[in-house]
Amino acid sequence: MKYILSLDQGTTSSRAVLFDQKGQVVALHSIEFPQLFPEPGWVEHDPYDILQSQLDSLKQVVQKSAVHPKDIMAVGITNQRETTLIWDRVTGKPLCNAIVWQCRRTAPLVERLKQDGLGNVIRDRTGLIPDAYFSGTKIQWMLEQIPGAQERAENGELCFGTVDSWLTYNLTEEKPHVTDATNAARTMLFNIYEQDWDEMLLRAMNIPALILPKVVDTSGIVGHLKKEILGESIPVAALVGDQHAALFGQVCFQSGMVKNTYGTGCFMLMNTGSMPVRSMSNLVTTIGWRLDGKPCYALEGSVFMAGASIQWLRDEMKMISTSAESEEVAKTVADSGGVYLVPAFTGLGAPHWDMYARGTIVGLTRGAGRGHVVRAALESIAYQSRDVLDAMIRDSGLKPSVIRVDGGASRNNLLMQFQADITGTQVLRSMNSETTALGAAMLAGLAVGMWTQRQLEELWLQGGQFDPQMDGGLRATMYNGWQRAVERAKDWAEL
Ligand code: ADP
C-alpha cells in the first residue's frame, strides 16, 4: 500500500491527514495553536507556532499510523488563505507575526486604494473585491511600519509568502520561494487572466517585485521534505488554498459543478472551467486550480454566519445545548410557522453586501416558540446559500444539477433536506468529511503519478443524498418570505 500525506494548515489548527491509495483516511492528527489579538480588530499568528504545530502534527500522524515513511509517495499542503508573512531571505527569520486574513488593520489602506480609483482595476485584474482580507495591503502595512523593511525589500533581502510558501520554505531541503496560483489569486496583486503579478497594483501598494514568490502550478513537485523530519526525502507535490482544495476534493472537475462547505460560515465555489466569469453580484472570481500551466477558474461566494448562528442559539440564547441538538429541536415543529431569522450579525455578504444590516427575527406570532426559531436559524443557512447559488447561476449561465457538501453543519440532515428543497437541487454529502485535506492529497498524488484525474473521480464516496421534495409553489412562497425578511434586516445600524 502507498500513501499520501496531507498538511492542512488552518486558521485555528494545524492538521495532518494520511490517506491510502483509495483516498481513505488512515490517520489524522490535529493541533490547535494560539490566536493573538494585540489590538481590537487585529489578528496575528506567530509564524513559529504555525510551523511547529504543523511539524508536530505531521510527525504524530505518521507515528500513529505505523506507516513506514518510505511508503509515503508525496506531501500535499493546503492552507488558510491570505494570511501574510515576510521573512529574511538568508536567515529565514520572520519580520514580525503573520497578519491573519481576518485582521482589519489595513482597512484604511484599502480605502485609500479605492479613493485613488483602483477599485475597478482590482476587480478587473484580480477578480477580487477590494478588501483588507487579501494579502496586498498586509504586505504594504508591514513594509511601511517596520523600520528599514521597505529598503530591505527593495534590495531583495526579504521574502513575502502566504502560509503555503512559509511551510514549503521551512519544511523542504531546497527552500524554494514559491506559491501556487490559487494562493496567489488571493493576494490582490495577481492578474488571474495573465497569470502574473500586476505591476500597476504593486506600484499602487508600494511593493517591490523582488519580494514576491514564484507562482507555480497547484499540482507539481516544489521540493522534498527535509530528511531529518521523517528520515526520507518525500516530494512536496501540491500547494493549494483550503477552499480550492475542497472544490478539488469534492471532485468538482467539470464546469458548472458546485461545492458548499458548512462551517462557521459557508464557502461556496463553482467550477467555471477555462472561462473566468466576472460577477455582477459581488462574488469573487478566482482560480480553482492550475494544472500544466492551465488555470481552471471558479466563482466564490461566502455566507458570514452559518454554523455561527447555531453557536449563537447555543451560547447566547441558550435554546440548545449542542449544535447537533438544533436538528431535534427543529423537528418538534412541522415548519418555521412563518418565522424568519436573518443572521446579519456583522452585516450581509454576497450578493447583498450591506455592512449596515443587522440580525432580525420577523414573522413572530403569539404561538411562535423555540422550535420555530431554531428551525428558522437552520433555514437561514440554506436561504443564504441559495442567495449565493442563484447569483452564481445568474453570473455564469451555468446551472448545477447537484450541490456537493461538507463541513460540520452538513451533518444536519434536516438542514441538508431543506437545502435541497429550497434550491430545487439535489444535495450530495461526501462520506469523507476531510475534503480539504483530501483535495490536497489528490493534487499531490496526481503530481507523482499515484492517480490519474480519471481515477480521482472514483475516490469520491457519497455519504448522504437529499432530493428536492418541496412543491415548486411552496418553494417560491417561502423564498419570497426570506427575501422580504432580508429587506427588513438591511440598512439598520447607524455607524
Ligand atoms: P470550522 O471549520 O469553520 O470551525 P466546522 O466544519 O468544524 O467549522 O463546523 C463547525 C460549525 O458547524 C459550528 O459553527 C457548529 O455550530 C456547526 N455545526 C456542527 N454540527 C452541527 C449540526 N449537527 N447542526 C447544525 N450546525 C452544526
Side-chain angles (χ1 to χ4, degrees), residues 385-452:
S385 296
R386 169 158 172 192
D387 288 344
V388 174
L389 183 68
D390 283 2
M392 284 181 175
I393 295 170
R394 248 190 338 264
D395 286 344
S396 67
L398 301 165
K399 173 108 178 65
S401 53
V402 172
I403 307 169
R404 295 195 169 200
V405 302
D406 52 54
S410 76
R411 286 195 293 268
N412 189 311
N413 291 332
L414 183 136
L415 168 60
M416 292 301 107
Q417 183 57 50
F418 189 72
Q419 186 72 81
D421 285 337
I422 208 63
T423 53
T425 308
Q426 187 183 57
V427 169
L428 294 181
R429 182 167 56 208
S430 161
M431 180 116 89
N432 186 336
S433 57
E434 297 295 328
T435 48
T436 303
L438 178 61
M442 286 174 166
L443 285 156
L446 199 60
V448 296
M450 179 141 139
W451 296 301
T452 62

Side-chain angles (χ1 to χ4, degrees), residues 262-264 307-308 310-311 323-324 326 378 407-409 411-412:
Y262 299 77
T264 311
I310 306 305
Q311 288 168 298
S323 296
S326 62
L378 285 172
R411 286 195 293 268
N412 189 311

